[in-house]
Amino acid sequence: MDTAMHSIDSLVGLQPHHDGSPVYVAGGSAPVLGEELRLRLRVPVGILEPEAIWLRSLEDGEPQFTEANRMAGDGSQLFFEAPLRMVNPVQRYRWLVSYRAAEGAVHYRWLNAAGWHTRDVPDIQDFRIHGDFATPHWVKESIMYQVFPDRFANSGSEKPTAEWMISCAWDTPVQGRGEQTSRQFYGGDLAGIESRLEHLLDLGATVLYLTPVFPAASNHRYDASSFDEVDPLLGGDAALISLIAAAHARGLRVVGDLTSNHTGAGHQWFTAAYNRPSAPTGEYYYFNADNSQYEAWLGVPSLPKLNWNSAALRERFILDEDAVAVRWLKEPFNLDGWRIDVGNMTGRHGADELNHEVARMLRRRIEQVRPGAMLLAESTSDASNDVPGDGWQGVVSYSNFTRPLWQWLAKDPDPEAFGWFFGLPQAGPVRLDAGDFIATHREMSAGYSWEVRLANANALDTHDTARAASHMIAGGQEIAACAQFSFPGIPLVFAGDEFGLHGYNGEDSRTPMPWDHPEKWGSDLRPLYAQLAELRKAHRALVDGSLRFIHAEKDLLVYIREHESGSVLCLLSRADAPEIILDFGVGLKPDPEAVLLSVGDAPELGIDPAGALTVKTSGPGAIFLRTPAALGWG
């Protein structure tokens, strides 16, 4: 193979491109069965001259090939277009490219959602479009801010006491491990959150996401003892009603956190059935014959697992007029949706495989009660098989974005200080180059439709993880935040990220917010988060524009979000690197006013009249530039 063809196979910026965005798919975000869509493939001019391009689709499981037609380009790129008919609810497809190399030989390459391949590839990583179920626009446009109620703000109101709690002053150190970890009680409440709503607005957040607010025997409240009331320690039902009303008045939506996989061992359903074989709620759980033993989440006795084979549980949790999942979406509460805890394990136990059934049931019921509500599911690993588009709108996961991003920006691990990396048996993140970061991201995202990708939450960290700042190089969190707000998906900011807080594991990361103590802040990143939020709101490309990688090697990552209203070029660097030239048909013009954002040691750019980029990096930094609009559909 000649050198040019070898470069195409190894350099992502030289390769043809397609994704599920409106730039490359015409026909709507939720097509109906039988509808015909128009798809196109971008081919850089002067890199390869295709002899033929085919769209390979699966129709009822059988491959079908349609030859693509060559369409007009813009001088830097060619487009090839082919029709795709929605035969199945999830329509899969990929591209086959034939071209003649300089030595005269004909070569074939596949392009699927994981990338460009010199060999045949499995269907599992095909591009996919799901039909009928569209994600609400506001969900895809969201900027979420996560609050752990006990640690955000204390209104000062008098609180009742409970046997489980160990009362702590606001500046008492958090115990990241040990017997006290789940019992430390700092007194944060819903009225305290309400008093700080302006802080969320200042950061540009559009959604307040609350971790559980139901009564429980822990500070995290994932072990609910009831789903029928708000924990009095947080202010009770009246406090939630007041908080949501105040948030709505300011243009903020509010999303709750619901455990559909388990309850607490103190839950009224469980206590009524434990050691009572004839109790009606016994079928809600996986009990043995005399109800003396039961299955629990990962064997934790305080978290008995729900049995979704039970028709009665389905009624009580989802289908009844006053069911758990719908009651809090109605008046007088008016939650705007749910994040489902341990969504990947819900409905799964041994031979029981009810996850998709439960997800679909929840989606349909919630749409009946509160049309357009958010429904995201937690999934700690590869969730692509769990999100075909008709259940969870998206997932809160770590595999396709958070984990590989940490690895690209990782500092050397300190096993004694951390010893944690997303549940893996290793001391910390193993450093990756930019190319491996993007390869991981593409492979872990390949199983999602574009509509799902836009509803997946991109977090740098959460209440379940160590803080990004603790594991990343100096300036790494700032670069990570730039990626968070410019990749497809919903930016999910955990309270305290804006102060650069540290934490060696999830529990240690639940530090009470040090509002008036800047000496406890790692960095004041409030201006950066506010600026990133403003950019996302001002540039549609950063919401649902296509994602095309131009360069991904070692310390430098370059990509473009393209949209017919205007595009944004993003350059992220983690260290100084030799000067490189990028001439991959970006189509830039030398315009100093094109710079939208410059962070840290921002890459230095030179732009010639033809649009080629000269890039020199001197350290961790980022720069965003306004670029020409993507070619629209004629």
Side-chain angles (χ1 to χ4, degrees), residues 227-238:
F227 292 126
D228 296 335
E229 64 173 332
V230 173
D231 194 337
L233 295 171
L234 295 175
D237 290 3

Side-chain angles (χ1 to χ4, degrees), residues 162-175:
E163 289 185 12
W164 63 265
M165 68 172 56
I166 298 173
S167 295
C168 299
W170 202 250
D171 59 355
T172 301
V174 169
Q175 300 298 310

Side-chain angles (χ1 to χ4, degrees), residues 306-445:
L306 291 169
N307 182 353
W308 282 97
N309 289 293
S310 168
L313 173 64
R314 296 180 181 208
E315 294 289 333
R316 183 69 191 90
F317 205 98
I318 300 175
L319 300 175
D320 284 349
E321 284 302 309
D322 201 35
V324 173
V326 301
R327 175 178 181 242
W328 301 94
L329 306 179
K330 298 179 179 180
E331 293 281 358
F333 304 102
N334 297 314
L335 275 175
D336 296 292
W338 294 110
R339 176 263 196 191
I340 302 297
D341 183 57
V342 207
N344 57 312
M345 297 184 73
T346 294
R348 288 189 168 119
H349 176 64
D352 291 344
E353 181 52 79
L354 304 171
N355 186 269
H356 292 183
E357 188 176 343
V358 175
R360 292 188 198 103
M361 187 183 302
L362 270 168
R363 176 78 171 268
R364 286 168 172 77
R365 185 70 177 111
I366 287 173
E367 280 291 327
Q368 292 172 354
V369 174
R370 193 170 182 83
M374 178 182 281
L375 182 63
L376 306 184
E378 179 195 22
S379 183
T380 56
S381 190
D382 179 7
S384 56
N385 286 334
D386 292 344
V387 198
D390 58 353
W392 320 126
Q393 294 162 347
V395 292
V396 183
S397 184
Y398 306 117
S399 59
N400 69 316
F401 178 79
T402 313
R403 203 160 65 198
L405 179 63
W406 274 40
Q407 291 180 280
W408 184 53
L409 295 169
K411 63 183 180 182
D412 292 334
D414 181 348
E416 299 207 356
F418 304 117
W420 184 93
F421 183 61
F422 295 93
L424 274 68
Q426 60 191 61
V430 176
R431 212 169 205 220
L432 297 178
D433 285 343
D436 285 332
F437 165 33
I438 294 312
T440 304
H441 172 74
R442 294 177 80 175
E443 289 182 5
M444 290 292 189
S445 301

